[in-house]
C-alpha cells in the first residue's frame, strides 16, 4: 500500500459494513480527510471508492476510526501490465524522437564532412559557423541526451559509474574539444583544428535508437507471463441478493457465489455448488481432455468452462489463486540469477572505471608516441574507447535468456524455480524416477478376468465381496464392476484373512478371493490355473484366485497400469543421455516387470519411503548428478536431496513450493522437456556471454587504435557508437530466439499456449 | 610544457578514477528501517536512493521502490542472495517483501548491475 497521495480513484474493500447507517458514517469520516474530493460506499459490493489526492493509509485510518475495516484493493496484475505496456510505448516513442532529432543533426554534419572534407577551423568565418553548429549540438545533446548526463552525475556522486558515465564522458569530451577548437584555435597545432560535433550528435542519436530497439525486443521476452495474465478475466459474475452482477475481479471475496456460463473462464479458485460441466484445464495441467466437474469439485481460475453453467463458491481469490501463484513463481524465476553469470557479474562491477582508465592510458599513448596530429588522435581514441565499451551487453547476456527460457518453460507446462535449477538441469546424468504415479497411473485397475463360467457373474460376485474390503486392490475390482453397470449384492459373513484374501457369502454361495495359499488352506484344487497366474505376474500384474462353493471359478488380475506415454518418455530421456533408475515400494517381481516393459535397467524395489532419499544420496556420492522425478507426496525428502527435483503433476501446493521444477502435466515427458529447455537456455546464455566478452575484448583494443599500423586509420567514434548501440540489441535478439524453442516430442498442450 | 600538462592531467584522471570509484570511503546514504516504518527507495538516473538500507535481523521487511526511470534498466530489482526479485512499475511504488534474514550484507541491483545497493541486516 502506498503512503503517497494518488490522484486516480482508489478502491477499498470494507469490513463490518452492513447498513445504510454505516455508509453515512464512513462517508462522513472520509469527508474530513484532507484531499478527499468524493467518497462513495457501495453497500452491495462492500467497497469504497475515493477520489482526490489522498494517501491510501489516511483513508484506511479514517474508516477504522469510524469503527470499520478497510483494505486497499490493488489493481490486478493484468491492469498493471497494461499500464506498464503503455509506459513502455511512451518511452519507446520518446527514444525514437530523441534518436530522430540527434541523427537529424548528426547525419547532415557527417555528410558535409565526408563530401567537402571541411571540418577544420582556419578562418574567422569558419570559427563563427562552427560556433553556431556547436551551440546547436549542445542543444541537441541536452534535449536528446540530457538523461545520460544527469544519470552520470548522480552515479558519480554515489561513487558509481554506469553506462551513462561512458556515454556522457565520450560525447562530452568530443564536444568540449570541438568547442576548444572553435574558441581558441591558436592553442592547437593547425592539423588538429578539427571539430567533432557530428560525432557527439551521432553517438547520442545511435544510442537512443539502440535503446528504442532494445525496449521493443525486451517487450517480447515477457510474452509468456503475458499469456498467463491473459488467462485471468478482468470481471466475475457474482450472485448478490439473488441477482447476478458483473464486478471487477479484485472485488470478489472468498465465500462469494459466482456463476460461469459455457465458454467463459473460471475467474477465481472455488468449489462447485450447483451444475455440471466439462472444464478445459489444459492451460494449467496440460491435460488436453476436458475434466467433468460436478457439485463438490474444485475449480481453478483461468480454466475454461466448456458446455454447462456452473454455480460455485469462491475459495481463493486475488494473489492466492493457483494461477496467480504460478504467475508469481514464473516472474520470480525469470529474474533470478544463474551461477554461470557470476564471472560476468564480477566483471560488470568493475567494468566502467576500468574502461575509463584504459581510455586515458590509450589516449596518452597516442599523445606521446602517436603520429601527427597527436591531439586529434588522442581525442578520437579517448572517445571511441569510452563509447565502444558496452557494459549492457555483458549485463544483459544472462537475464534476457533466463527471462525467455523460464517463460518458454511455463508455456510448455514446466515451472522452473530459479536460474540455479535451470543450470543444474543441464548437466544431469542420472534420473531417479518413482514408479507409482510417475511411470504408472498410480491407481490400480482390473486388467484381466478369466473364468470357467460367466465372467460378468463372477465379477459381480467378487465386486460385491470386495466392496466390504478396504484393500487398495479391492477398489479396482469394485470400480470395474460399476463400469460394467453390475449391481452389487449384499454380503453375509465377510471375513478378511490376513495375508491370504477375503471370504463371504453372496446369494447363498460361499465366495473366496485371494492368493494360492488361501486356495491351499481351503483345500481347493487349482488345476492348471497357477500357470496362467504366473504369466500374469510376469507382466507385473497381481493375480488372485476366485472360488465359488469350494470350486475354483477363475482368476482375476489387478495392476497399476503403465502410463500411456511412459515408454516413449523413458526412451527420450535415455537419448538425452540420462541413466534412468526406478524406485518403488512394490515387490521385486512387479518392479522388474514394469522396468522390463519400459526398458529401464536399474531398479530399486521393496523400498520404504525413507530409502528413496538414501539412494539419491548414494548416487550423488558416486559422483552422479541426480535428478529425481516424483509426485511430491511421499518423496519430498528425495526431491529435495536431488540436484534437481522434478515434481510431477503439480497435484499439491507443497510440490510447487518445494520442487526445483514443477511439471504441470502428469507425464515424464515434462522432465525431458525441462532438460531440453534448460540445455537450450544455457546454450543461449553461453552464446550471449561469449558474444559480449568477444565484443568488448575486440572492440576496446580496436577503438584504442591497435589496427592503425595496418589500416592507417583510427576507428571513428561514430562507428563505435553504432557498434555499442547494436551490441545490446543483438544480445536481446539472440535471447528472443529461444522463443522458438520446441520440445523434441510434442506430447500435449502447453500452458496458456492455446489462447 | 603543454606535453607535461597533458600527461599530468591524464595521470591525475587515472588516479582520480581509481580513488573515487574503488578506494575512497563511500558515503552511502544509509537509512535504517524500523519494524513498522515505511521507507521509500527512489529508483532514478542510475541510482537507488538511499542505496544502503539497514533492517533488523529475523523479521520480514517490506521495501517500497518508487521507479522514476522509464528505461528498461530500472525495470527489475534483484536480491540474488535472498532469491527475491520484483518488477517495478514506472512512476509507482512497488512493494517488495523480503523474508527474514540472518545478519549480514545483501547486495541488490538491477538486471545489468548498473543500479546497485546493499541491504544491511543487523
Amino acid at each position: 500500500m502506498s503512503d503517497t497521495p494518488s490522484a486516480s480513484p482508489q478502491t477499498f474493500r470494507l469490513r463490518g459494513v452492513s447498513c445504510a447507517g454505516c455508509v453515512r458514517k464512513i462517508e462522513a469520516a472520509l469527508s474530513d480527510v484532507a484531499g478527499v474530493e468524493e467518497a462513495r460506499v457501495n453497500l452491495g459490493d462492500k467497497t469504497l471508492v475515493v477520489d482526490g489526492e489522498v494517501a491510501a493509509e489516511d483513508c484506511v485510518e479514517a474508516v477504522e476510526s469510524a469503527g470499520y475495516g478497510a483494505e486497499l484493493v490493488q489493481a490486478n496484475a493484468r491492469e498493471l501490465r497494461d499500464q506498464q505496456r503503455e509506459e513502455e510505448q511512451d518511452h519507446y516513442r520518446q527514444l525514437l524522437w530523441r534518436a530522430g532529432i540527434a541523427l537529424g543533426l548528426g547525419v547532415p554534419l557527417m555528410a558535409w564532412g565526408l563530401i567537402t572534407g571541411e571540418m577544420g577551423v582556419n578562418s574567422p568565418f569558419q570559427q563563427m559557423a562552427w560556433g553556431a553548429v556547436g551551440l546547436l549540438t549542445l542543444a541537441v545533446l541536452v534535449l536528446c541526451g540530457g538523461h545520460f548526463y544527469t544519470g552520470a552525475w548522480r552515479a558519480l556522486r554515489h561513487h558509481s559509474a554506469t553506462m551513462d558515465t561512458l556515454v556522457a564522458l565520450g560525447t562530452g569530451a568530443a564536444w568540449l574539444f570541438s568547442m576548444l577548437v572553435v574558441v581558441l584555435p591558436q592553442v592547437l597545432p593547425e592539423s588538429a583544428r578539427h571539430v567533432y560535433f557530428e560525432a557527439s550528435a551521432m553517438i547520442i542519436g545511435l544510442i537512443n535508437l539502440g535503446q528504442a530497439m532494445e525496449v521493443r525486443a525486451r517487450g517480447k521476452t515477457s510474452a509468456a507471463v503475458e499469456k498467463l495474465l491473459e488467462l485471468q478475466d478482468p470481471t466475475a459474475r457474482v450472485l448478490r441478493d439473488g441477482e447476478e452482477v458483473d464486478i471487477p475481479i479484485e472485488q470478489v471475496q472468498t465465500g462469494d457465489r459466482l456463476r460461469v456460463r459455457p465458454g467463459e473462464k473460471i475467474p477465481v479458485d472455488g468449489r462447485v455448488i450447483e451444475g455440471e460441466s466439462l472444464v478445459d484445464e489444459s492451460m494449467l495441467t496440460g491435460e488436453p481432455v476436458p475434466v467433468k466437474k460436478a457439485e463438490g469439485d474444485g475449480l481453478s481460475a483461468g480454466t475454461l468452462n466448456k458446455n454447462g453453467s456452473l454455480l460455485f463458491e469462491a475459495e481463493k481469490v486475488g494473489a492466492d489463486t493457483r494461477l496467480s501463484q504460478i504467475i508469481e513463481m514464473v516472474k520470480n524465476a525469470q529474474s533470478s540469477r544463474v551461477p554461470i553469470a557470476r564471472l560476468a557479474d564480477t566483471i560488470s562491477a568493475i567494468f566502467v572505471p576500468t574502461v575509463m582508465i584504459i581510455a586515458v592510458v590509450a589516449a596518452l599513448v597516442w599523445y606521446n608516441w602517436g603520429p601527427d596530429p597527436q591531439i586529434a588522435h588522442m581525442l578520437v581514441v579517448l572517445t571511441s574507447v569510452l563509447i565502444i565499451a558496452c557494459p549492457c551487453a555483458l549485463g544483459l547476456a544472462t537475464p534476457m535468456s533466463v527471462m525467455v527460457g523460464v517463460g518458454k518453460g511455463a508455456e510448455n507446462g514446466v515451472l522452473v524455480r530459479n536460474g540455479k535449477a535451470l543450470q543444474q538441469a543441464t548437466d544431469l546424468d542420472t534420473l531417479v524416477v518413482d514408479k507409482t504415479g510417475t511411470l504408472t497411473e498410480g491407481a490400480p485397475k482390473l486388467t484381466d478376468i478369466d473364468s470357467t463360467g460367466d465372467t460378468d457373474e463372477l465379477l459381480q460376485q467378487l465386486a460385491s465381496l470386495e466392496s466390504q474390503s478396504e484393500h487398495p486392490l479391492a477398489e479396482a475390482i469394485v470400480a470395474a464392476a460399476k463400469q460394467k453397470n453390475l449391481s452389487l449384492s449384499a454380503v453375509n459373513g465377510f471375513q478378511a484373512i490376513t495375508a491370504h484374501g477375503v471370504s463371504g457369502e453372496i446369494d447363498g454361495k460361499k465366495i473366496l478371493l485371494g492368493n494360492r495359499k488361501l486356495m491351499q488352506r481351503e483345500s481347493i484344487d487349482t488345476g492348471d490355473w497357477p500357470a496362467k497366474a504366473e504369466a500374469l505376474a510376469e507382466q507385473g500384474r497381481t493375480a488372485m484366485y476366485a472360488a465359488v462353493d469350494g470350486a475354483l471359478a477363475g482368476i482375476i488380475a489387478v495392476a497399476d497400469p503403465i502410463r500411456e506415454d511412459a515408454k516413449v518418455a523413458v526412451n527420450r530421456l535415455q537419448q538425452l543421455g540420462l541413466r534412468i533408475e526406478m524406485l518403488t515400494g512394490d515387490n521385486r517381481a512387479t518392479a522388474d516387470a514394469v522396468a522390463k516393459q519400459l526398458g529401464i535397467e536399474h531398479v530399486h524395489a521393496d523400498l520404504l519411503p525413507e530409502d528413496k532419499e538414501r539412494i539419491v544420496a548414494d548416487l550423488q556420492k558416486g559422483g552422479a548428478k541426480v535428478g529425481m522425478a516424483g509426485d511430491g507426496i511421499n518423496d519430498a525428502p528425495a526431491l529435495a536431496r536431488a540436484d534437481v527435483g522434478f515434481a510431477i503433476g503439480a497435484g499439491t501446493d507443497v510440490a510447487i513450493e518445494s520442487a526445483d521444477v514443477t511439471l504441470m502435466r502428469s507425464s515424464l515427458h515434462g522432465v525431458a522437456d525441462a532438460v531440453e529447455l534448460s540445455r537450450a537456455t544455457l546454450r543461449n546464455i553461453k552464446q550471449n556471454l561469449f558474444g559480449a566478452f568477444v565484443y568488448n575484448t575486440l572492440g576496446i583494443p580496436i577503438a584504442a587504435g591497435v589496427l592503425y599500423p595496418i589500416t592507417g586509420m583510427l576507428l571513428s567514434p561514430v562507428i563505435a557508437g553504432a557498434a555499442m548501440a547494436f551490441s545490446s540489441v543483438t544480445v536481446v535478439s539472440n535471447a528472443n530466439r529461444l522463443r522458438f524453442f520446441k520440445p523434441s516430442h510434442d506430447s500435449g498442450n502447453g500452458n496458456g499456449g492455446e489462447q | 610544457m603543454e606535453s607535461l600538462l597533458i600527461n599530468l592531467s591524464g595521470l591525475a584522471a587515472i588516479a582520480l578514477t581509481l580513488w573515487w570509484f574503488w578506494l575512497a570511503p563511500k558515503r552511502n546514504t544509509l537509512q535504517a528501517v524500523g519494524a513498522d516504518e515505511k521507507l521509500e527507495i527512489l529508483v532514478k538516473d542510475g541510482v537507488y536512493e538511499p542505496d544502503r538500507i539497514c533492517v533488523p535481523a529475523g523479521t520480514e521487511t517490506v521495501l517500497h521502490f518508487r521507479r522514476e526511470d522509464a528505461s528498461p534498466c530500472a525495470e527489475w530489482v534483484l536480491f540474488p542472495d535472498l532469491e527475491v526479485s520484483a518488477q517495478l512499475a514506472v512512476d509507482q511504488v512497488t512493494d517488495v517483501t523480503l523474508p527474514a534474514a540472518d545478519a549480514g550484507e545483501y547486495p541488490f541491483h538491477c538486471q545489468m548491475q548498473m543500479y546497485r545497493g546493499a541491504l544491511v541486516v543487523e
Side-chain angles (χ1 to χ4, degrees):
Chain A
M1 197 187 295
S2 157
D3 55 355
T4 36
S6 163
S8 52
Q10 301 179 76
T11 308
F12 298 85
R13 195 174 293 133
L14 297 171
R15 285 186 303 270
V17 182
S18 54
C19 60
C22 313
V23 173
R24 273 197 302 278
K25 256 166 94 180
I26 292 173
E27 287 181 350
L30 276 155
S31 65
D32 293 339
V33 177
V36 172
E37 281 165 19
E38 198 191 352
R40 300 176 303 274
V41 172
N42 182 334
L43 193 58
D45 294 344
K46 294 201 171 70
T47 53
L48 161 72
V49 178
V50 179
D51 286 333
E53 286 217 13
V54 59
E57 277 198 341
D58 296 342
C59 299
V60 172
E61 229 167 75
V63 175
E64 281 170 357
S65 68
Y68 306 95
E71 184 189 345
L72 181 67
V73 174
Q74 302 281 3
N76 67 42
R78 194 168 158 179
E79 270 172 29
L80 276 178
R81 193 81 209 165
D82 290 346
Q83 253 175 29
Q84 200 74 18
R85 277 270 155 275
E86 250 169 60
E87 294 276 1
E88 244 170 55
Q89 268 303 319
D90 284 352
H91 187 57
Y92 173 70
R93 277 192 292 267
Q94 204 182 16
L95 287 168
L96 279 186
W97 265 110
R98 285 176 182 163
I101 293 171
L103 293 176
L105 176 69
V107 172
L109 279 181
M110 205 166 86
W112 171 266
L114 289 174
I115 296 165
T116 68
E118 287 189 22
M119 299 289 277
V121 177
N122 297 307
S123 67
F125 171 73
Q126 282 175 329
Q127 218 174 340
M128 292 282 287
W130 282 119
V133 172
L135 292 179
L136 191 62
T137 309
L138 180 67
V140 167
L141 294 190
V142 171
L143 183 73
C144 308
H147 55 293
F148 293 121
Y149 304 102
T150 49
W153 175 242
R154 275 176 71 100
L156 182 73
R157 276 182 23 223
H158 282 75
H159 295 263
S160 79
T162 66
M163 188 195 87
D164 291 350
T165 314
L166 295 177
V167 175
L169 282 176
T171 55
W175 187 83
L176 283 173
F177 175 83
S178 306
M179 268 330 246
L180 179 73
V181 171
V182 169
V183 179
L184 298 169
Q186 61 278 13
V187 303
L188 297 161
E190 226 179 284
S191 58
R193 290 177 196 166
H194 188 285
V195 290
Y196 293 94
F197 293 123
E198 94 287 2
S200 304
M202 285 293 288
I203 291 166
I204 293 289
L206 287 168
I207 292 176
N208 273 313
L209 184 65
Q211 285 191 341
M213 289 167 71
E214 192 189 316
V215 166
R216 257 292 143 88
R218 272 188 179 221
K220 290 182 193 146
T221 59
S222 48
V225 167
E226 233 131 87
K227 273 187 195 163
L228 285 171
L229 285 172
E230 276 164 20
L231 294 176
Q232 181 79 70
D233 260 347
T235 60
R237 188 171 301 116
V238 178
L239 247 66
R240 290 276 157 87
D241 305 321
E243 270 183 50
E244 291 176 7
V245 280
D246 280 342
I247 63 168
I249 188 87
E250 314 73 82
Q251 292 178 14
V252 178
Q253 300 172 30
T254 46
D256 274 346
R257 291 178 164 220
L258 296 101
R259 166 81 63 195
V260 267
R261 298 193 186 131
E264 290 180 341
K265 281 186 208 139
I266 313 284
V268 295
D269 288 0
R271 202 157 288 282
V272 180
I273 307 174
E274 197 186 287
E276 257 188 36
S277 178
L278 289 173
V279 174
D280 177 3
E281 295 188 328
S282 58
M283 52 293 282
L284 290 187
T285 62
E287 291 295 339
V289 185
V291 185
K292 195 174 173 188
K293 298 282 182 183
E295 202 184 316
D297 289 337
L299 295 172
S300 291
T303 56
L304 185 68
N305 180 27
K306 298 288 263 193
N307 58 353
S309 172
L310 292 171
L311 181 70
F312 75 102
E313 191 176 294
E315 286 184 339
K316 281 180 179 168
V317 298
D320 296 331
T321 63
R322 207 162 110 196
L323 178 64
S324 301
Q325 283 174 346
I326 290 172
I327 294 173
E328 199 51 41
M329 184 174 159
V330 171
K331 279 168 82 176
N332 254 326
Q334 279 187 324
S335 57
S336 65
R337 306 299 287 179
V338 187
I340 196 177
R342 205 165 290 143
L343 179 62
D345 286 353
T346 320
I347 295 175
S348 330
I350 55 161
F351 189 84
V352 177
T354 310
V355 168
M356 286 161 67
I357 291 171
I358 294 175
V360 176
V361 170
L364 287 181
V365 167
W366 277 92
Y367 178 73
N368 291 309
W369 296 288
D372 223 31
Q374 285 106 329
I375 293 208
H377 283 159
M378 179 177 85
L379 177 88
V380 170
V381 166
L382 182 79
T383 308
S384 295
V385 171
L386 288 173
I387 296 296
I388 205 165
C390 186
C392 316
L394 209 55
L396 286 175
T398 9
M400 287 298 113
S401 306
V402 172
M403 188 109 175
V404 182
V406 168
K408 200 68 210 173
E411 276 179 27
N412 286 287
V414 176
L415 301 181
V416 183
R417 170 152 297 280
N418 53 33
K420 196 176 155 203
L422 194 70
Q423 183 174 341
Q424 282 178 336
T426 58
D427 47 26
L428 292 179
D429 51 28
T430 307
L431 183 73
V432 175
V433 184
D434 186 31
K435 180 186 84 88
T436 311
T438 308
L439 294 171
T440 63
E441 299 279 356
K445 276 187 190 155
L446 179 78
T447 53
D448 304 82
I449 179 161
D450 200 352
S451 80
T452 50
D454 181 2
T455 49
D456 277 359
E457 191 190 345
L458 182 65
L459 180 61
Q460 189 269 339
Q461 289 165 335
L462 297 177
S464 305
L465 180 67
E466 287 283 42
S467 66
Q468 305 293 310
S469 166
E470 284 170 359
H471 197 275
L473 297 181
E475 265 176 48
I477 297 172
V478 177
K482 279 190 180 156
Q483 212 175 19
K484 286 194 164 180
N485 288 325
L486 302 174
S487 56
L488 303 185
S489 311
V491 183
N492 291 320
F494 174 82
Q495 208 186 345
I497 310 151
T498 312
H500 286 80
V502 289
S503 71
E505 209 180 279
I506 296 161
D507 303 329
K509 289 176 180 159
K510 185 164 166 51
I511 315 284
L512 288 171
L513 178 64
N515 53 22
R516 204 168 162 187
K517 279 190 278 179
L518 178 69
M519 299 298 133
Q520 284 164 350
R521 198 177 90 151
E522 301 288 325
S523 316
I524 293 167
D525 177 25
T526 49
D528 54 3
W529 288 102
K532 285 187 182 173
E534 267 163 37
L536 289 169
E538 266 172 31
Q539 295 172 49
R541 296 170 190 175
T542 308
M544 288 172 286
Y545 297 82
V548 179
D549 283 336
L552 202 104
I555 53 172
I556 189 164
V558 172
D560 185 2
I562 291 173
R563 281 177 183 277
E564 243 173 75
D565 55 5
K567 192 172 166 64
V568 185
V570 165
N571 195 347
R572 202 176 143 207
L573 284 162
Q574 284 166 337
Q575 277 179 358
L576 285 170
L578 294 171
R579 194 178 67 165
I580 314 285
E581 305 233 355
M582 188 177 95
L583 303 186
T584 177
D586 284 356
N587 62 55
R588 165 83 33 199
T590 315
D592 281 343
V594 172
K596 199 173 152 201
Q597 287 180 57
L598 292 173
I600 298 174
E601 284 172 18
H602 308 271
V603 180
H604 304 264
D606 298 311
L607 298 178
L608 296 169
E610 55 267 31
D611 293 337
K612 296 180 183 173
E613 188 193 352
R614 183 182 48 76
I615 289 171
V616 171
D618 286 348
L619 286 166
Q620 283 172 327
K621 268 184 218 149
K625 295 261 182 263
V626 185
M628 160 88 200
D631 55 15
I633 295 164
N634 62 12
D635 38 27
L639 282 179
R641 164 74 65 181
D643 293 296
V644 182
F646 297 89
I648 287 196
T652 58
D653 292 346
V654 186
I656 292 198
E657 273 168 32
S658 63
D660 296 309
V661 178
T662 305
L663 305 172
M664 304 305 290
R665 187 183 336 149
S666 301
S667 160
L668 211 52
H669 274 300
V671 178
D673 291 351
V675 171
E676 283 179 357
L677 178 79
S678 62
R679 287 182 185 174
T681 309
L682 254 280
R683 202 163 39 237
N684 195 271
I685 290 175
K686 284 177 186 164
Q687 288 162 354
N688 274 348
L689 283 175
F690 180 76
F693 274 119
V694 167
Y695 168 79
N696 279 301
T697 46
L698 287 184
I700 293 174
I702 290 174
V706 293
L707 293 184
Y708 186 87
I710 304 165
T711 60
M713 279 164 68
L714 283 177
L715 186 75
S716 153
V718 176
I719 307 283
M724 132 78 156
F726 296 101
S727 64
S728 44
V729 178
T730 312
V731 164
V732 180
S733 306
N734 185 47
N736 267 328
R737 282 195 318 121
L738 264 183
R739 287 171 51 222
F740 304 110
F741 167 83
K742 264 206 162 71
S744 64
H745 176 94
D746 193 12
S747 51
N749 289 327
N751 187 359
E754 50 281 282
Q755 281 304 301
Chain B
M1 181 61 196
E2 180 205 90
S3 155
L4 186 71
L5 203 70
I6 289 186
N7 276 304
L8 280 180
S9 326
L11 293 176
I14 292 172
L16 211 66
T17 307
L18 280 172
W19 178 75
W20 185 254
F21 293 110
W22 288 325
L23 305 174
K26 299 203 174 184
R27 280 183 300 115
N28 293 303
T29 42
L30 177 77
Q31 212 150 338
V33 189
D36 43 31
E37 256 176 283
K38 286 201 173 231
L39 174 68
E40 199 169 284
I41 299 155
L42 183 66
V43 184
K44 196 181 173 186
D45 291 337
V47 178
Y48 293 120
E49 197 153 5
D51 62 357
R52 229 175 135 77
I53 297 140
C54 218
V55 298
T59 52
E60 192 176 82
T61 319
V62 182
L63 299 179
H64 312 271
F65 285 85
R66 170 175 283 275
R67 172 182 169 199
E68 287 188 359
D69 179 356
S71 78
C73 312
E75 191 175 354
W76 290 86
V77 60
L78 316 177
F79 292 79
D81 300 331
L82 302 172
E83 289 211 346
V84 171
S85 61
Q87 195 174 13
L88 308 178
V90 184
D91 291 330
Q92 282 185 17
V93 176
T94 307
D95 291 357
V96 179
T97 308
L98 303 174
D102 295 333
E105 198 170 311
Y106 302 89
F108 60 94
H109 47 74
C110 70
Q111 278 185 331
M112 280 165 45
Q113 307 213 32
M114 291 290 116
Y115 279 90
R116 291 168 164 275
L119 180 79
V120 182
V121 180
E122 13 177 77

